[in-house]
Amino acid sequence: MKKFEEKTLQSTEIFKGKIISLQEDIVELPDGKTSKREIIKHPGAVAVLALTPDNKIVMVEQYRKALERSLVEIPAGKLEPGEKPYDTAMRELEEETGYSCQQLEHIISFYTSPGFADELVHLYLAKDIVKKEDALPADEDEFVELVELTLAEAEGYIREQRIHDAKTAYAVQYLMLDEARTR
Amino acid sequence: MKKFEEKTLQSTEIFKGKIISLQEDIVELPDGKTSKREIIKHPGAVAVLALTPDNKIVMVEQYRKALERSLVEIPAGKLEPGEKPYDTAMRELEEETGYSCQQLEHIISFYTSPGFADELVHLYLAKDIVKKEDALPADEDEFVELVELTLAEAEGYIREQRIHDAKTAYAVQYLMLDEARTR
């Protein structure tokens, strides 16, 4: 998986933040010329497609500063240092929604923006979720509101662009495929 | 769509590159406290799910410096200033694959990483593509190899993680759903 490899001639860290860092690499291209690559390093993240006993999809509405608007998304969050994606998914589900789950099933992992970022999102399926009375509290700077949608409602939210991100669109399509196959 | 709005108290541009820029915003949270947000600005991008007359999916293999490996992806590229997504999709399809198409159908648009970036990807469907003898040349610093896969092969590539990004995974699942519904 090294086809057309771009060799690093120089790598400069430009910014190191709470969540992301930015580096600029000077690379040697396969034809010997050089070019610059702007790269965001990200710790990776998880997302959880959680279904209630009456088959509603658990989502959260939250403000996304990068977009200057709120979105309805499946619960998600970034990996803490040393944390396994499975454990992050269990934690984020509980923190953001108050639901917990005995077991998660891995659906897929994908890079969100391979052109400039190394963020890898691990998507899990949570069935048989139960509401916890003593759920983990949300992060201090995170304000989210629980939204529970039927599949048809979620499809409507996508058309209205209230759901408007890749992981949630993928998760909704996953359920549409599941429904089409079991009909 | 302003629920839990975070008001900008201060915005500082840290980096302005060829493709992305980075800013750090200090925001006022709904509870009056302040926090920092690290934000990547991106011009937006397109991706094209293109099908050959014998129903193969047109993909390109290319090196992704952010991941230090190559990926097989559907053709994609970023918007040039003032360019409409539809036109970008027509151009990128031709530049990256040598195929052109009379008409594209919009499938969906989604934000790839709303937690830290404003990149919006517009996904189009291209049927009835034809190979052009005098296709537009690829970008100077872009090395890609054409790969044409059946749907079953694409599903295999996902399992092997040779296909490993959100837009391509979404596009393959879109075809799986289409197949399940027309059976």
Side-chain angles (χ1 to χ4, degrees):
Chain A
M1 311 299 272
K2 288 281 178 187
K3 191 178 271 284
F4 305 129
E5 182 171 359
E6 300 176 351
K7 288 195 193 110
T8 309
L9 301 178
Q10 193 187 310
S11 183
T12 309
E13 183 169 86
I14 289 168
F15 174 79
K16 195 173 175 64
K18 272 190 309 180
I19 296 171
I20 58 174
S21 61
L22 167 67
Q23 69 190 50
E24 195 172 46
D25 287 3
I26 299 174
V27 300
E28 185 184 318
L29 300 172
D31 66 0
K33 291 181 184 166
T34 59
S35 190
K36 274 186 191 175
R37 299 291 181 223
E38 299 153 3
I39 293 167
I40 299 296
K41 293 283 182 182
H42 184 282
V46 300
V48 184
L49 171 53
L51 301 173
T52 63
D54 59 344
N55 228 25
K56 288 196 171 173
I57 313 165
V58 179
M59 303 218 184
V60 289
E61 180 159 10
Q62 65 187 306
Y63 195 74
R64 291 306 202 173
K65 187 67 177 67
L67 315 178
E68 300 291 6
R69 58 163 288 197
S70 62
L71 285 182
V72 174
E73 298 170 50
I74 55 172
K78 69 175 168 50
L79 304 182
E80 297 299 332
E83 195 178 35
K84 284 182 183 146
Y86 187 95
D87 299 334
T88 314
M90 282 286 198
R91 178 177 58 73
E92 287 289 348
L93 176 64
E94 191 173 326
E95 285 180 5
E96 292 200 344
T97 72
Y99 280 107
S100 72
C101 174
Q102 286 294 316
Q103 212 178 334
L104 299 172
E105 185 187 326
H106 180 251
I107 295 178
I108 191 173
S109 299
F110 44 59
Y111 292 104
T112 52
S113 294
F116 69 91
D118 72 346
E119 183 194 28
L120 182 62
V121 169
H122 307 274
L123 176 63
Y124 292 91
L125 178 64
K127 290 177 180 172
D128 306 313
I129 59 174
V130 288
K131 202 81 187 180
K132 277 188 88 168
E133 289 307 317
D134 57 340
L136 296 168
D139 285 347
E140 213 184 27
D141 66 347
E142 209 170 45
F143 294 80
V144 304
E145 185 174 270
L146 200 63
V147 182
E148 297 185 3
L149 302 176
T150 63
L151 178 53
E153 286 168 344
E155 291 180 52
Y157 272 46
I158 287 177
R159 282 191 298 274
E160 295 162 12
Q161 302 191 335
R162 295 176 69 177
I163 292 174
H164 204 9
D165 74 297
K167 65 182 177 307
T168 307
Y170 185 93
V172 171
Q173 194 179 56
Y174 176 89
L175 291 179
M176 291 163 72
L177 176 58
D178 186 60
E179 190 186 71
R181 283 176 168 170
T182 53
R183 224 171 228 171
Chain B
M1 312 299 271
K2 289 281 178 188
K3 193 181 269 284
F4 304 128
E5 182 170 1
E6 299 176 351
K7 289 196 193 107
T8 309
L9 300 179
Q10 193 187 312
S11 183
T12 309
E13 182 167 87
I14 289 168
F15 175 79
K16 196 173 173 66
K18 271 190 312 181
I19 296 170
I20 57 173
S21 61
L22 167 66
Q23 70 190 49
E24 195 172 45
D25 288 3
I26 298 174
V27 300
E28 185 185 319
L29 300 173
D31 65 0
K33 291 182 182 165
T34 60
S35 190
K36 274 186 190 175
R37 300 291 181 220
E38 299 154 2
I39 293 166
I40 299 297
K41 293 283 182 181
H42 185 284
V46 300
V48 184
L49 171 54
L51 300 172
T52 65
D54 58 346
N55 228 25
K56 288 195 171 173
I57 313 165
V58 179
M59 303 218 183
V60 289
E61 181 161 9
Q62 65 187 307
Y63 196 75
R64 292 305 204 173
K65 187 67 177 68
L67 315 178
E68 299 291 6
R69 58 164 288 197
S70 62
L71 286 183
V72 174
E73 299 169 49
I74 55 171
K78 69 175 168 52
L79 304 182
E80 296 299 332
E83 195 178 35
K84 285 183 183 145
Y86 187 96
D87 299 334
T88 314
M90 282 286 198
R91 179 176 58 73
E92 288 288 347
L93 176 65
E94 191 173 327
E95 284 180 5
E96 291 201 344
T97 72
Y99 280 107
S100 72
C101 175
Q102 285 294 316
Q103 213 178 332
L104 299 172
E105 184 187 326
H106 180 251
I107 295 177
I108 192 173
S109 299
F110 43 60
Y111 292 103
T112 52
S113 294
F116 69 92
D118 72 345
E119 184 194 28
L120 182 63
V121 169
H122 307 274
L123 177 63
Y124 292 91
L125 178 64
K127 291 177 178 172
D128 307 314
I129 59 173
V130 288
K131 202 82 188 179
K132 277 188 86 167
E133 289 308 316
D134 57 341
L136 297 168
D139 286 347
E140 214 183 28
D141 66 348
E142 208 169 47
F143 294 81
V144 304
E145 185 174 88
L146 201 63
V147 182
E148 297 185 3
L149 302 177
T150 64
L151 178 54
E153 286 168 343
E155 291 180 52
Y157 272 45
I158 288 177
R159 282 190 298 275
E160 296 162 13
Q161 303 191 333
R162 297 176 68 179
I163 292 175
H164 204 9
D165 75 295
K167 66 182 177 307
T168 307
Y170 185 93
V172 171
Q173 190 175 243
Y174 176 89
L175 292 178
M176 290 163 72
L177 176 59
D178 186 60
E179 190 187 71
R181 282 178 168 171
T182 55
R183 227 170 225 169

mmCIF file of all heavy atoms in Angstrom, chain A residues 3-4, chain B residues 50 52 57-62 72-75 92-99 129 131 143-149 157:
data_model
loop_
_atom_site.group_PDB
_atom_site.id
_atom_site.type_symbol
_atom_site.label_atom_id
_atom_site.label_comp_id
_atom_site.label_asym_id
_atom_site.label_seq_id
_atom_site.Cartn_x
_atom_site.Cartn_y
_atom_site.Cartn_z
ATOM 1 N N LYS A 3 1.987 2.537 -3.115
ATOM 2 C CA LYS A 3 2.018 2.987 -4.497
ATOM 3 C C LYS A 3 2.088 4.513 -4.568
ATOM 4 O O LYS A 3 1.355 5.197 -3.873
ATOM 5 C CB LYS A 3 0.765 2.493 -5.222
ATOM 6 C CG LYS A 3 0.817 2.673 -6.735
ATOM 7 C CD LYS A 3 -0.428 2.120 -7.404
ATOM 8 C CE LYS A 3 -0.319 0.677 -7.770
ATOM 9 N NZ LYS A 3 0.478 0.380 -8.943
ATOM 10 N N PHE A 4 2.982 4.997 -5.445
ATOM 11 C CA PHE A 4 3.189 6.438 -5.616
ATOM 12 C C PHE A 4 3.656 7.124 -4.324
ATOM 13 O O PHE A 4 3.320 8.276 -4.058
ATOM 14 C CB PHE A 4 1.917 7.137 -6.132
ATOM 15 C CG PHE A 4 1.381 6.556 -7.405
ATOM 16 C CD1 PHE A 4 0.043 6.190 -7.494
ATOM 17 C CD2 PHE A 4 2.178 6.394 -8.520
ATOM 18 C CE1 PHE A 4 -0.476 5.660 -8.670
ATOM 19 C CE2 PHE A 4 1.664 5.872 -9.707
ATOM 20 C CZ PHE A 4 0.338 5.504 -9.773
ATOM 21 N N ALA B 50 -18.814 6.807 -10.377
ATOM 22 C CA ALA B 50 -18.960 6.661 -11.835
ATOM 23 C C ALA B 50 -19.014 5.185 -12.192
ATOM 24 O O ALA B 50 -18.190 4.379 -11.724
ATOM 25 C CB ALA B 50 -17.784 7.332 -12.543
ATOM 26 N N THR B 52 -19.133 2.275 -15.252
ATOM 27 C CA THR B 52 -18.864 1.988 -16.663
ATOM 28 C C THR B 52 -20.091 1.298 -17.277
ATOM 29 O O THR B 52 -20.955 0.799 -16.550
ATOM 30 C CB THR B 52 -17.635 1.056 -16.813
ATOM 31 O OG1 THR B 52 -17.957 -0.203 -16.216
ATOM 32 C CG2 THR B 52 -16.411 1.644 -16.152
ATOM 33 N N ILE B 57 -17.300 0.036 -11.033
ATOM 34 C CA ILE B 57 -17.119 1.309 -10.354
ATOM 35 C C ILE B 57 -15.719 1.832 -10.677
ATOM 36 O O ILE B 57 -14.734 1.097 -10.536
ATOM 37 C CB ILE B 57 -17.246 1.158 -8.828
ATOM 38 C CG1 ILE B 57 -18.489 0.329 -8.467
ATOM 39 C CG2 ILE B 57 -17.296 2.523 -8.156
ATOM 40 C CD1 ILE B 57 -18.484 -0.154 -7.020
ATOM 41 N N VAL B 58 -15.658 3.074 -11.111
ATOM 42 C CA VAL B 58 -14.370 3.663 -11.465
ATOM 43 C C VAL B 58 -13.727 4.252 -10.214
ATOM 44 O O VAL B 58 -14.315 5.107 -9.545
ATOM 45 C CB VAL B 58 -14.549 4.775 -12.521
ATOM 46 C CG1 VAL B 58 -13.201 5.393 -12.859
ATOM 47 C CG2 VAL B 58 -15.225 4.221 -13.765
ATOM 48 N N MET B 59 -12.536 3.770 -9.904
ATOM 49 C CA MET B 59 -11.832 4.275 -8.722
ATOM 50 C C MET B 59 -10.404 4.638 -9.099
ATOM 51 O O MET B 59 -9.926 4.287 -10.182
ATOM 52 C CB MET B 59 -11.812 3.209 -7.633
ATOM 53 C CG MET B 59 -13.195 2.728 -7.237
ATOM 54 S SD MET B 59 -13.310 2.444 -5.469
ATOM 55 C CE MET B 59 -14.984 1.800 -5.363
ATOM 56 N N VAL B 60 -9.745 5.328 -8.197
ATOM 57 C CA VAL B 60 -8.343 5.666 -8.403
ATOM 58 C C VAL B 60 -7.554 5.297 -7.150
ATOM 59 O O VAL B 60 -8.028 5.478 -6.036
ATOM 60 C CB VAL B 60 -8.144 7.167 -8.725
ATOM 61 C CG1 VAL B 60 -8.654 7.482 -10.121
ATOM 62 C CG2 VAL B 60 -8.814 8.069 -7.714
ATOM 63 N N GLU B 61 -6.373 4.757 -7.394
ATOM 64 C CA GLU B 61 -5.478 4.504 -6.270
ATOM 65 C C GLU B 61 -4.486 5.648 -6.208
ATOM 66 O O GLU B 61 -3.938 6.076 -7.236
ATOM 67 C CB GLU B 61 -4.730 3.175 -6.446
ATOM 68 C CG GLU B 61 -3.813 2.890 -5.269
ATOM 69 C CD GLU B 61 -3.401 1.428 -5.131
ATOM 70 O OE1 GLU B 61 -3.680 0.631 -6.045
ATOM 71 O OE2 GLU B 61 -2.794 1.102 -4.091
ATOM 72 N N GLN B 62 -4.285 6.192 -5.025
ATOM 73 C CA GLN B 62 -3.346 7.308 -4.895
ATOM 74 C C GLN B 62 -2.734 7.320 -3.502
ATOM 75 O O GLN B 62 -3.299 6.769 -2.566
ATOM 76 C CB GLN B 62 -4.036 8.643 -5.168
ATOM 77 C CG GLN B 62 -5.109 9.026 -4.186
ATOM 78 C CD GLN B 62 -5.854 10.287 -4.629
ATOM 79 O OE1 GLN B 62 -5.254 11.323 -4.907
ATOM 80 N NE2 GLN B 62 -7.163 10.187 -4.719
ATOM 81 N N VAL B 72 -7.535 3.224 -2.273
ATOM 82 C CA VAL B 72 -8.379 3.181 -3.463
ATOM 83 C C VAL B 72 -9.664 3.947 -3.118
ATOM 84 O O VAL B 72 -10.336 3.616 -2.141
ATOM 85 C CB VAL B 72 -8.685 1.723 -3.865
ATOM 86 C CG1 VAL B 72 -9.679 1.687 -5.016
ATOM 87 C CG2 VAL B 72 -7.401 0.995 -4.240
ATOM 88 N N GLU B 73 -9.936 4.977 -3.907
ATOM 89 C CA GLU B 73 -11.070 5.866 -3.616
ATOM 90 C C GLU B 73 -11.830 6.175 -4.899
ATOM 91 O O GLU B 73 -11.277 6.077 -5.991
ATOM 92 C CB GLU B 73 -10.565 7.213 -3.055
ATOM 93 C CG GLU B 73 -9.794 7.115 -1.767
ATOM 94 C CD GLU B 73 -9.091 8.433 -1.406
ATOM 95 O OE1 GLU B 73 -9.739 9.490 -1.432
ATOM 96 O OE2 GLU B 73 -7.881 8.379 -1.127
ATOM 97 N N ILE B 74 -13.069 6.606 -4.766
ATOM 98 C CA ILE B 74 -13.748 7.150 -5.936
ATOM 99 C C ILE B 74 -13.081 8.483 -6.275
ATOM 100 O O ILE B 74 -12.523 9.147 -5.401
ATOM 101 C CB ILE B 74 -15.274 7.311 -5.715
ATOM 102 C CG1 ILE B 74 -15.584 8.156 -4.484
ATOM 103 C CG2 ILE B 74 -15.944 5.947 -5.607
ATOM 104 C CD1 ILE B 74 -17.075 8.505 -4.360
ATOM 105 N N PRO B 75 -13.115 8.862 -7.576
ATOM 106 C CA PRO B 75 -12.456 10.123 -7.949
ATOM 107 C C PRO B 75 -13.049 11.311 -7.187
ATOM 108 O O PRO B 75 -14.257 11.377 -6.973
ATOM 109 C CB PRO B 75 -12.714 10.227 -9.455
ATOM 110 C CG PRO B 75 -13.700 9.165 -9.806
ATOM 111 C CD PRO B 75 -13.663 8.150 -8.729
ATOM 112 N N GLU B 92 -13.072 16.854 -12.319
ATOM 113 C CA GLU B 92 -12.260 15.871 -11.592
ATOM 114 C C GLU B 92 -12.423 14.461 -12.179
ATOM 115 O O GLU B 92 -11.466 13.694 -12.247
ATOM 116 C CB GLU B 92 -12.601 15.869 -10.103
ATOM 117 C CG GLU B 92 -12.098 17.093 -9.340
ATOM 118 C CD GLU B 92 -10.575 17.112 -9.148
ATOM 119 O OE1 GLU B 92 -9.907 16.083 -9.377
ATOM 120 O OE2 GLU B 92 -10.061 18.180 -8.782
ATOM 121 N N LEU B 93 -13.645 14.126 -12.577
ATOM 122 C CA LEU B 93 -13.860 12.814 -13.188
ATOM 123 C C LEU B 93 -12.954 12.655 -14.408
ATOM 124 O O LEU B 93 -12.269 11.633 -14.562
ATOM 125 C CB LEU B 93 -15.343 12.655 -13.597
ATOM 126 C CG LEU B 93 -15.683 11.355 -14.343
ATOM 127 C CD1 LEU B 93 -15.468 10.136 -13.452
ATOM 128 C CD2 LEU B 93 -17.129 11.381 -14.857
ATOM 129 N N GLU B 94 -12.924 13.683 -15.235
ATOM 130 C CA GLU B 94 -12.125 13.606 -16.461
ATOM 131 C C GLU B 94 -10.624 13.625 -16.169
ATOM 132 O O GLU B 94 -9.861 12.830 -16.726
ATOM 133 C CB GLU B 94 -12.512 14.769 -17.387
ATOM 134 C CG GLU B 94 -11.940 14.612 -18.784
ATOM 135 C CD GLU B 94 -12.465 15.673 -19.750
ATOM 136 O OE1 GLU B 94 -13.631 16.099 -19.611
ATOM 137 O OE2 GLU B 94 -11.689 16.096 -20.631
ATOM 138 N N GLU B 95 -10.210 14.533 -15.273
ATOM 139 C CA GLU B 95 -8.781 14.647 -14.949
ATOM 140 C C GLU B 95 -8.224 13.367 -14.338
ATOM 141 O O GLU B 95 -7.117 12.941 -14.660
ATOM 142 C CB GLU B 95 -8.553 15.792 -13.949
ATOM 143 C CG GLU B 95 -8.622 17.179 -14.547
ATOM 144 C CD GLU B 95 -8.376 18.260 -13.497
ATOM 145 O OE1 GLU B 95 -8.057 17.928 -12.326
ATOM 146 O OE2 GLU B 95 -8.517 19.441 -13.844
ATOM 147 N N GLU B 96 -8.983 12.780 -13.432
ATOM 148 C CA GLU B 96 -8.445 11.647 -12.674
ATOM 149 C C GLU B 96 -8.639 10.303 -13.375
ATOM 150 O O GLU B 96 -7.896 9.362 -13.117
ATOM 151 C CB GLU B 96 -9.079 11.591 -11.271
ATOM 152 C CG GLU B 96 -8.634 12.741 -10.385
ATOM 153 C CD GLU B 96 -8.814 12.458 -8.896
ATOM 154 O OE1 GLU B 96 -9.535 11.521 -8.536
ATOM 155 O OE2 GLU B 96 -8.212 13.197 -8.099
ATOM 156 N N THR B 97 -9.663 10.205 -14.226
ATOM 157 C CA THR B 97 -9.970 8.890 -14.796
ATOM 158 C C THR B 97 -9.936 8.847 -16.317
ATOM 159 O O THR B 97 -9.932 7.762 -16.898
ATOM 160 C CB THR B 97 -11.373 8.411 -14.353
ATOM 161 O OG1 THR B 97 -12.374 9.200 -15.038
ATOM 162 C CG2 THR B 97 -11.564 8.550 -12.846
ATOM 163 N N GLY B 98 -9.989 10.009 -16.983
ATOM 164 C CA GLY B 98 -10.065 10.016 -18.436
ATOM 165 C C GLY B 98 -11.471 9.757 -18.961
ATOM 166 O O GLY B 98 -11.700 9.726 -20.169
ATOM 167 N N TYR B 99 -12.435 9.547 -18.049
ATOM 168 C CA TYR B 99 -13.824 9.354 -18.452
ATOM 169 C C TYR B 99 -14.554 10.696 -18.420
ATOM 170 O O TYR B 99 -14.262 11.555 -17.584
ATOM 171 C CB TYR B 99 -14.553 8.411 -17.484
ATOM 172 C CG TYR B 99 -14.267 6.949 -17.719
ATOM 173 C CD1 TYR B 99 -13.463 6.225 -16.837
ATOM 174 C CD2 TYR B 99 -14.830 6.266 -18.803
ATOM 175 C CE1 TYR B 99 -13.209 4.876 -17.032
ATOM 176 C CE2 TYR B 99 -14.587 4.919 -19.012
ATOM 177 C CZ TYR B 99 -13.774 4.224 -18.124
ATOM 178 O OH TYR B 99 -13.537 2.885 -18.330
ATOM 179 N N ILE B 129 -20.797 6.831 -18.769
ATOM 180 C CA ILE B 129 -19.510 7.500 -18.956
ATOM 181 C C ILE B 129 -18.823 6.955 -20.210
ATOM 182 O O ILE B 129 -19.037 5.803 -20.594
ATOM 183 C CB ILE B 129 -18.592 7.331 -17.718
ATOM 184 C CG1 ILE B 129 -18.336 5.842 -17.428
ATOM 185 C CG2 ILE B 129 -19.196 8.013 -16.506
ATOM 186 C CD1 ILE B 129 -17.323 5.605 -16.336
ATOM 187 N N LYS B 131 -14.916 6.972 -22.357
ATOM 188 C CA LYS B 131 -13.484 7.273 -22.299
ATOM 189 C C LYS B 131 -13.177 8.380 -23.306
ATOM 190 O O LYS B 131 -13.591 8.296 -24.465
ATOM 191 C CB LYS B 131 -12.699 6.001 -22.641
ATOM 192 C CG LYS B 131 -11.281 5.992 -22.129
ATOM 193 C CD LYS B 131 -11.212 5.580 -20.676
ATOM 194 C CE LYS B 131 -9.799 5.771 -20.141
ATOM 195 N NZ LYS B 131 -9.684 5.407 -18.732
ATOM 196 N N PHE B 143 -0.538 11.858 -8.611
ATOM 197 C CA PHE B 143 -0.259 10.605 -9.292
ATOM 198 C C PHE B 143 -1.342 9.606 -8.917
ATOM 199 O O PHE B 143 -1.458 9.228 -7.753
ATOM 200 C CB PHE B 143 1.116 10.070 -8.885
ATOM 201 C CG PHE B 143 2.237 10.965 -9.348
ATOM 202 C CD1 PHE B 143 2.568 12.108 -8.627
ATOM 203 C CD2 PHE B 143 2.925 10.686 -10.517
ATOM 204 C CE1 PHE B 143 3.578 12.955 -9.065
ATOM 205 C CE2 PHE B 143 3.938 11.527 -10.955
ATOM 206 C CZ PHE B 143 4.264 12.667 -10.225
ATOM 207 N N VAL B 144 -2.142 9.214 -9.898
ATOM 208 C CA VAL B 144 -3.225 8.283 -9.604
ATOM 209 C C VAL B 144 -3.238 7.160 -10.631
ATOM 210 O O VAL B 144 -2.783 7.330 -11.765
ATOM 211 C CB VAL B 144 -4.612 8.976 -9.602
ATOM 212 C CG1 VAL B 144 -4.649 10.144 -8.612
ATOM 213 C CG2 VAL B 144 -4.992 9.460 -10.991
ATOM 214 N N GLU B 145 -3.744 6.010 -10.210
ATOM 215 C CA GLU B 145 -3.880 4.867 -11.113
ATOM 216 C C GLU B 145 -5.331 4.414 -11.142
ATOM 217 O O GLU B 145 -5.966 4.265 -10.098
ATOM 218 C CB GLU B 145 -2.998 3.719 -10.634
ATOM 219 C CG GLU B 145 -2.995 2.540 -11.587
ATOM 220 C CD GLU B 145 -1.998 1.476 -11.136
ATOM 221 O OE1 GLU B 145 -2.387 0.607 -10.334
ATOM 222 O OE2 GLU B 145 -0.832 1.537 -11.575
ATOM 223 N N LEU B 146 -5.848 4.231 -12.336
ATOM 224 C CA LEU B 146 -7.235 3.839 -12.516
ATOM 225 C C LEU B 146 -7.444 2.389 -12.070
ATOM 226 O O LEU B 146 -6.639 1.507 -12.390
ATOM 227 C CB LEU B 146 -7.579 3.979 -14.000
ATOM 228 C CG LEU B 146 -9.051 4.098 -14.371
ATOM 229 C CD1 LEU B 146 -9.663 5.348 -13.774
ATOM 230 C CD2 LEU B 146 -9.182 4.128 -15.900
ATOM 231 N N VAL B 147 -8.546 2.176 -11.329
ATOM 232 C CA VAL B 147 -8.920 0.838 -10.871
ATOM 233 C C VAL B 147 -10.416 0.696 -11.143
ATOM 234 O O VAL B 147 -11.186 1.568 -10.758
ATOM 235 C CB VAL B 147 -8.673 0.681 -9.351
ATOM 236 C CG1 VAL B 147 -9.018 -0.733 -8.886
ATOM 237 C CG2 VAL B 147 -7.240 1.029 -8.979
ATOM 238 N N GLU B 148 -10.818 -0.369 -11.813
ATOM 239 C CA GLU B 148 -12.248 -0.563 -12.058
ATOM 240 C C GLU B 148 -12.718 -1.827 -11.374
ATOM 241 O O GLU B 148 -12.190 -2.911 -11.607
ATOM 242 C CB GLU B 148 -12.531 -0.603 -13.570
ATOM 243 C CG GLU B 148 -12.159 0.733 -14.225
ATOM 244 C CD GLU B 148 -12.515 0.837 -15.693
ATOM 245 O OE1 GLU B 148 -13.114 -0.117 -16.238
ATOM 246 O OE2 GLU B 148 -12.197 1.874 -16.296
ATOM 247 N N LEU B 149 -13.704 -1.701 -10.505
ATOM 248 C CA LEU B 149 -14.123 -2.805 -9.643
ATOM 249 C C LEU B 149 -15.599 -3.121 -9.801
ATOM 250 O O LEU B 149 -16.426 -2.211 -9.912
ATOM 251 C CB LEU B 149 -13.883 -2.424 -8.164
ATOM 252 C CG LEU B 149 -12.475 -2.065 -7.727
ATOM 253 C CD1 LEU B 149 -12.489 -1.645 -6.252
ATOM 254 C CD2 LEU B 149 -11.518 -3.221 -7.932
ATOM 255 N N TYR B 157 -12.608 -5.057 -1.182
ATOM 256 C CA TYR B 157 -11.602 -4.017 -0.902
ATOM 257 C C TYR B 157 -11.886 -3.309 0.427
ATOM 258 O O TYR B 157 -10.968 -2.902 1.122
ATOM 259 C CB TYR B 157 -11.573 -2.984 -2.036
ATOM 260 C CG TYR B 157 -10.646 -3.318 -3.176
ATOM 261 C CD1 TYR B 157 -10.586 -4.595 -3.726
ATOM 262 C CD2 TYR B 157 -9.800 -2.344 -3.717
ATOM 263 C CE1 TYR B 157 -9.732 -4.887 -4.773
ATOM 264 C CE2 TYR B 157 -8.941 -2.629 -4.769
ATOM 265 C CZ TYR B 157 -8.912 -3.902 -5.290
ATOM 266 O OH TYR B 157 -8.066 -4.189 -6.330
#
